[in-house]
Amino acid sequence: MKIGILTSGGDCPGLNAVIRGAVLKGIAVHGQEFVGFRDGWRGVVEGDIIDIPRTLVRGIAKQGGTILGTSRTNPFENGGGPAVIKGHMDRLGIDAIIAIGGEGTLAAAKRLTDAGLRIVGVPKTIDNDLDATDYTFGFDTAVEIATEAIDRLRTTGESHHRCMIAEVMGRHVGWIALHSGMASGAHAILIPEQRVSIDQIAAWVKLAHDRGRAPLVVVAEGFALDTMGEAHSERGLDTFGRPRLGGIGERLAPEIEARTGIETRATVLGHIQRGGVPTAFDRVLATRLGMAAIDSVVEGRWGTMVSLNGTDIVHVGFDAALGRLKTVPQDRYDEARVLFG
Ligand code: F6P
């Protein structure tokens, strides 16, 4: 059996560990062959592949990015669609596809599976916003990177008696902000799920400052003040028509400064959170998911993805993962909020 693997959407630490886990198990246990589609769905739509022999996955569990490349290509556009893709699979002798990606990738995979293609999924996003899996690989690494960076911002904030704002990723949900903010002892954590007023943020900053602390605010890129209609976006749309986020920290800084009189600086961590080596936790999770994806293929579980349930890897339908975001529950925010100010 020949299996094609693709990585699609934003890159994420652990993608290579998934590929390695799948390839090693597939070769060792089932004698399967592997190819990789270059740059996500683009490679699928164009039939652009590379062979993945065992030697190609040597030592890559600790390597950031993806050896296959990625893109935000929509497989139903750019000359794609089920018939074209089926044609490429038949011509190239590919029996099944393992699609590693986030909500957009899995939604496309579902449509293609519904049209008769043999696809299984592996969920991926640093934002940890996919429902039907307890954690996604890449999230732990992003939180580690953000926490380390915020710790560094804190020492410079303390030296200059400034308020520091760290802007982290999190388009629809605030998991990275919540965890990195808690880990670094932030005086305010601002997430997309919770609208807050600028006066409340200024009050938290002032409280911390009055105790002799350098106030630290962690804000998710998707956060909006109670007076804002949408999340802050000033750089147009991506290829899926979604606003490119980023800049809410810079928007808040002068407002906080004006209300508190405390010099306030903002830093956007951006793609640093998605780059570099994955943590051990993410390497293990990603490897296990890759290996379990082979079971999905062998058992013919088309239209399902592997997922983490507690400490077990299970198989769930694409439907379970789509259409519902895993947001930060109210009690998790309330728990963190006790320590604000
Ligand atoms: O979905 C993961 C993510 O990192 C989001 O947090 C962020 O909004 C988006 O990807 C950024 O995407 P791009 O790298 O295409 O700008």
Side-chain angles (χ1 to χ4, degrees):
M1 185 179 216
K2 193 193 267 189
I3 300 172
I5 303 180
L6 70 107
T7 53
S8 170
D11 72 335
C12 179
L15 285 170
N16 288 325
V18 177
I19 297 168
R20 175 178 167 275
V23 170
L24 291 187
K25 179 165 182 178
I27 291 174
V29 180
H30 303 290
Q32 293 160 335
E33 280 178 71
F34 290 86
V35 294
F37 295 101
R38 283 200 182 91
D39 302 334
W41 293 116
R42 184 197 66 73
V44 181
V45 166
E46 296 176 11
D48 184 5
I49 60 167
I50 53 165
D51 286 335
I52 312 184
R54 192 185 170 116
T55 48
L56 194 70
V57 301
R58 221 178 242 167
I60 64 169
K62 59 184 170 304
Q63 196 175 310
T66 161
I67 60 165
L68 300 177
T70 186
S71 67
R72 293 201 188 273
T73 304
N74 185 334
F76 287 86
E77 291 169 4
N78 310 294
V84 170
I85 295 171
K86 177 86 174 49
H88 288 312
M89 288 177 72
D90 290 346
R91 181 175 56 81
L92 299 165
I94 297 170
D95 302 292
I97 292 178
I98 297 176
I100 312 168
E103 210 201 354
T105 306
L106 298 173
K110 178 176 165 28
R111 278 182 70 190
L112 292 170
T113 309
D114 289 346
L117 298 189
R118 289 150 55 115
I119 306 177
V120 301
V122 178
K124 165 243 64 158
T125 159
I126 63 161
D127 290 4
N128 197 37
D129 60 2
L130 276 178
D131 212 29
T133 185
D134 287 351
Y135 283 100
T136 40
F137 67 86
F139 169 66
D140 186 65
T141 306
V143 170
E144 276 298 323
I145 294 169
T147 302
E148 211 245 313
I150 296 166
D151 287 347
R152 289 176 191 278
L153 290 176
R154 186 192 272 278
T155 63
T156 184
E158 280 167 352
S159 305
H160 290 265
H161 315 291
R162 284 175 181 158
C163 169
M164 303 301 278
I165 303 176
E167 181 182 310
V168 299
M169 280 188 168
R171 168 171 287 276
H172 304 293
V173 305
W175 287 110
I176 297 176
L178 184 80
H179 280 223
S180 62
M182 261 194 142
S184 57
H187 300 105
I189 300 172
L190 309 173
I191 62 175
E193 296 89 333
Q194 299 282 339
R195 299 273 170 144
V196 179
S197 71
I198 188 67
D199 289 331
Q200 172 64 82
I201 299 168
W204 284 325
V205 165
K206 193 84 178 42
L207 266 174
H209 189 258
D210 289 350
R211 284 201 320 280
R213 307 303 310 280
L216 183 62
V217 177
V218 176
V219 59
E221 61 181 357
F223 167 76
L225 287 167
D226 58 354
T227 50
M228 291 165 61
E230 307 267 302
H232 182 83
S233 169
E234 57 195 18
R235 289 180 289 125
L237 305 177
D238 68 17
T239 48
F240 273 84
R242 306 180 312 170
R244 293 201 183 95
L245 301 184
I248 181 67
E250 283 292 355
R251 181 159 166 180
L252 294 177
E255 305 242 18
I256 292 173
E257 192 166 312
R259 280 170 178 74
T260 62
I262 303 163
E263 186 180 4
T264 303
R265 296 293 184 87
T267 301
V268 183
L269 300 186
H271 292 93
I272 287 171
Q273 294 159 93
R274 287 203 329 227
V277 300
T279 59
F281 179 91
D282 280 337
R283 292 182 209 183
V284 172
L285 175 58
T287 303
R288 292 183 70 204
L289 291 172
M291 293 172 75
I294 292 300
D295 300 337
S296 306
V297 170
V298 169
E299 291 159 16
R301 294 173 179 268
W302 318 123
T304 67
M305 66 169 208
V306 288
S307 102
L308 183 68
N309 182 357
T311 54
D312 295 333
I313 305 291
V314 297
H315 306 264
V316 298
F318 284 148
D319 279 337
L322 299 171
R324 216 175 58 219
L325 286 172
K326 187 174 66 205
T327 52
V328 173
Q330 188 65 43
D331 61 327
R332 286 294 310 273
Y333 188 73
D334 291 344
E335 177 187 65
R337 194 183 157 121
V338 170
L339 302 181
F340 292 181

